[in-house]
Amino acid sequence: LRGGGVIALCLPLGDGSAACASVQAVLPISSVAGLPMNSKISHLPLRLRGGGLPFRYEDSWKDITVRMPIEDAIKGRDIVYKLTPSSLELGLKGQAPSVSGELWDMVKTDDSIWEIETHPKLGRCVTVQLVKAKGAKWDYLLKSEDVPPDLTITHQC
């Protein structure tokens, strides 16, 4: 699989039949085509992660950039931003936060910043650059995004 897909799993049962299920798999870029972690993969497009969420993020070894789209009328004073070494809350005053929860790993709060900018794909947005305490890729931005796959048996073979 290149960058994810559907995997069919079949497990043998004691009576000689098998139970099968299909699972949506999203593979980290480092596992594409079995390449080692330090391989240069320049031909693959940069993907903004967080599809289906009210924010997007990009992960690198030293930092993670979070982008939350906003309307033109929003000013800096309308932004709610609370960062601890292990959690992030980002949103607009008077509304439920768009990003709220425990981060995948620790960040350096004094080195992390936020600003309002215009992104070529997302338009006007709040951009938060979180500097990681340890240099490593994250599986997700928030621990709450780590939802186990649905392994419900869809049919028996």
Side-chain angles (χ1 to χ4, degrees), residues 8-69:
L9 301 173
C10 291
L11 303 172
L13 300 176
D15 63 0
S17 65
C20 298
S22 60
V23 178
Q24 180 71 30
V26 178
L27 301 175
I29 199 165
S30 60
S31 65
V32 174
L35 295 173
M37 294 288 279
N38 59 358
S39 291
K40 301 269 185 206
I41 307 175
S42 59
H43 64 280
L44 295 175
L46 175 65
R47 281 186 42 227
L48 292 174
R49 297 171 71 184
L53 299 171
F55 61 90
R56 300 288 185 267
Y57 58 94
E58 296 174 51
D59 189 20
S60 74
W61 287 95
K62 65 177 183 165
D63 61 19
I64 192 159
T65 304
V66 182
R67 291 189 174 90
M68 179 185 74

Side-chain angles (χ1 to χ4, degrees), residues 51 53 84 86 96 124 143:
L53 299 171
T84 70
S86 61
R124 193 159 186 265
K143 289 185 178 181

Side-chain angles (χ1 to χ4, degrees), residues 67-88:
R67 291 189 174 90
M68 179 185 74
I70 57 173
E71 296 178 12
D72 289 339
I74 302 297
K75 305 287 185 208
R77 65 179 170 266
D78 301 321
I79 306 300
V80 175
Y81 170 79
K82 295 178 185 170
L83 179 66
T84 70
S86 61
S87 69
L88 172 65

